[in-house]
Amino acid sequence: MKIEFLDDISDGGRFPHADPNQLVRLYDFDSVQAQLLRQRIQTEIIESKKEVDLATLDFIQAINCNLTLQISDTDKGIATTNDNNFFCNLTIEKYKEMVFLIEPFCEKETNGYQWLYDLDTPIDFLFSPGG
């Protein structure tokens, strides 16, 4: 699994459903890696109320950024101050939704994709095994 920040996705309509011009994507993964991520979100964030630094997980390779998943009182989505270190601030309820959205990728290999939250923010969060 790889994590990457794309600064301008408006070129050529590669991501036609993306409203903002920026996104952080988790991609190039199989069902086992999707299961590992889902399990970490469930146990670390939802159950233990801890943050998860994705770059420290041994099954995730950081391409050009780092993303830390944090618990917040309100759903703010992904933000950054330097286009390298990102923070995803969501409520426990949104993380529960995220676990649900990741679930189909844990069952079998798929070519689909999923936006991991639906918020009006400048940076979207894409989960896509094919990129």
Side-chain angles (χ1 to χ4, degrees), residues 2-76:
K2 297 176 183 174
I3 186 166
E4 180 180 34
F5 171 63
L6 298 178
D7 186 37
D8 184 5
I9 60 171
S10 61
D11 63 310
R14 286 177 34 200
F15 300 96
H17 298 299
D19 185 30
N21 290 327
Q22 299 177 319
L23 66 82
V24 172
R25 67 177 177 164
L26 287 169
Y27 70 103
D28 192 22
F29 58 86
D30 58 24
S31 61
V32 172
Q33 291 168 318
Q35 289 173 23
L36 290 170
L37 179 63
R38 181 191 66 195
Q39 180 182 19
R40 284 295 179 101
I41 294 170
Q42 179 66 43
T43 58
E44 297 293 319
I45 297 174
I46 297 171
E47 295 172 12
S48 298
K49 311 289 190 271
K50 297 178 183 175
E51 66 181 35
V52 174
D53 181 347
L54 296 183
T56 65
L57 302 179
D58 59 355
F59 60 93
I60 295 182
Q61 176 189 358
I63 300 299
N64 65 352
C65 70
N66 181 43
L67 177 64
T68 301
L69 306 179
Q70 301 175 324
I71 299 169
S72 178
D73 291 334
T74 59
D75 294 316
K76 300 174 187 168

Side-chain angles (χ1 to χ4, degrees), residues 92-110:
I92 292 290
E93 288 306 311
K94 276 290 186 198
Y95 282 114
K96 288 178 182 177
E97 288 177 27
M98 190 178 290
V99 166
F100 176 77
L101 294 171
I102 293 172
E103 181 71 31
F105 299 90
C106 300
E107 303 295 322
K108 60 179 181 175
E109 305 303 321
T110 181

